[in-house]
Amino acid sequence: MNLKNLLLGSLLSSLSLVACVGEPLDSDLGDEAAIDDTELVGEDAEAIVGPGGEQGGGGITRNVTLACSITYPSMFNVTASIKNTSIYAIPDYAKLSYTVTHYYGSPAPFCGSTTGPLAKGATKNVSLSHQGALDAYGCSAKASWTID
């Protein structure tokens, strides 16, 4: 495979990530005024101040980027290995969202979710059984939860 084909394949798979449509997070369903009250915390976390503002009355939603890779524990068993590389221990009520990309851009990126917990440095393996899972080559993941 020459470099030109490799770069073209990489570009196409990057563009296919834009078309991923997943289910909205609970925090995405709030009113538009809450979006104005955002505050960045740390390098890899984002805290959103709740409807009560900084004086209280609302929770803080924390979004953390996680490491994700595709593994093949056996020939026809494909998993997304999600590793907590953040500075936070992820609670059991947190939503772990992941997006799986495939060779040749087909099928479109698969979006899925599961729940925590996930300790610092721990890995959670999620079996992939969607159509085209055997052609999976990469993934990305994040965790989201609200602190009252």
Side-chain angles (χ1 to χ4, degrees), residues 66-89:
L66 306 171
C68 186
S69 61
I70 300 297
T71 59
Y72 291 84
S74 65
M75 187 171 181
F76 295 109
N77 183 17
V78 184
T79 62
S81 293
I82 301 171
K83 183 173 184 179
N84 185 358
T85 56
S86 73
I87 60 172
Y88 303 102

Side-chain angles (χ1 to χ4, degrees), residues 9-22 99-102 105 107-111 137 140:
S10 175
L11 177 64
L12 289 175
S13 67
S14 297
L15 290 175
S16 67
L17 284 175
V18 176
C20 179
V21 178
T99 302
V100 179
T101 52
H102 307 86
F110 174 80
C111 298
Y137 74 88
S140 61

Side-chain angles (χ1 to χ4, degrees), residues 5-59:
N5 288 339
L6 183 61
L7 290 174
L8 181 60
S10 175
L11 177 64
L12 289 175
S13 67
S14 297
L15 290 175
S16 67
L17 284 175
V18 176
C20 179
V21 178
E23 60 186 71
L25 296 174
D26 292 336
S27 63
D28 293 341
L29 301 176
D31 64 43
E32 295 296 320
I35 295 173
D36 294 334
D37 296 329
T38 59
E39 175 183 321
L40 193 61
V41 178
E43 291 182 13
D44 61 351
E46 181 180 308
I48 301 172
V49 178
E54 291 186 14
Q55 289 77 27

